[in-house]
Amino acid sequence: MIFYYLLIAIGVIITLFAIYNLFSISKIEKNMDNYLFIVTSSKGYFIGATLFSLAILLVITYQVFNYVFDIRIFSIIFFFASLFLLSLSHLIYYLIAKKKLNDYKDFFKEFDIDLKNNCQKIMLKHIYDKEKDLKKVKEIFKINKKLCKKS
């Protein structure tokens, strides 16, 4: 029985993370972190995660449909519903951030980056994670970008 209560507790924590994601949408700013998030993330990943979690939720709900609704059934359904809510909140955050930050191509022109080259995008993100000063990031990136082959 402890397992089911633990599942509910984990579901509550996941749901709180999803709610936090939805509230943080209103605070999306035009900064390097968010621009890198847009450039390095893939919409297909978020859509796939959302559809996968929805499919799992539907299968689990259908499987337990014939049983008496008790704490065990509730904990399992609630856990998978919270996973679906979390993946949906990530998808919504990504789509709204991409809409708000639609000038990302102009922002990255000063870095002279090929946005179709995944190596350059990941390198820029890695450099920025280590060094937050944009001038230094530009210098380091311009020196090292030749290490990425054309894609």
Side-chain angles (χ1 to χ4, degrees):
M1 207 60 180
I2 285 183
F3 172 75
Y4 299 109
Y5 291 118
L6 184 63
L7 210 55
I8 291 173
I10 293 170
V12 167
I13 292 169
I14 292 171
T15 303
L16 291 175
F17 277 124
I19 292 169
Y20 174 77
N21 281 346
L22 293 173
F23 279 121
S24 65
I25 289 173
S26 64
K27 299 175 185 174
I28 295 174
E29 298 174 353
K30 293 188 175 198
N31 59 31
M32 184 70 160
D33 288 321
N34 287 331
Y35 281 119
L36 283 172
F37 169 72
I38 293 300
V39 170
T40 57
S41 298
S42 172
K43 181 168 86 172
Y45 166 77
F46 293 113
I47 291 172
T50 304
L51 291 177
F52 181 73
S53 62
L54 177 63
I56 289 176
L57 175 63
L58 292 175
V59 167
I60 294 296
T61 304
Y62 178 75
Q63 292 294 321
V64 299
F65 192 66
N66 295 329
Y67 296 101
V68 176
F69 194 79
D70 63 352
I71 190 74
R72 294 176 294 183
I73 302 300
F74 172 75
S75 66
I76 293 169
I77 292 175
F78 179 69
F79 175 76
F80 286 107
S82 64
L83 286 179
F84 170 70
L85 183 63
L86 181 65
S87 60
L88 182 65
S89 72
H90 279 92
L91 175 64
I92 293 169
Y93 184 91
Y94 172 78
L95 292 174
I96 292 177
K98 190 157 187 171
K99 188 175 182 180
K100 281 186 177 181
L101 305 173
N102 61 0
D103 62 337
Y104 66 94
K105 291 179 183 175
D106 296 332
F107 179 81
F108 285 114
K109 278 184 183 176
E110 63 186 84
F111 287 92
D112 193 31
I113 183 174
D114 179 13
L115 292 175
K116 294 180 182 173
N117 189 327
N118 287 333
C119 175
Q120 287 185 7
K121 293 188 291 189
I122 292 171
M123 180 186 288
L124 183 61
K125 184 175 180 158
H126 179 72
I127 293 169
Y128 182 71
D129 285 343
K130 302 291 182 196
E131 179 65 55
K132 298 295 183 187
D133 183 21
L134 287 181
K135 283 187 177 182
K136 289 182 182 178
V137 170
K138 287 179 195 175
E139 291 173 16
I140 295 169
F141 179 73
K142 287 185 181 187
I143 292 169
N144 292 313
K145 85 174 193 172
K146 63 183 174 228
L147 297 174
C148 292
K149 295 178 181 177
K150 299 270 184 194
S151 60

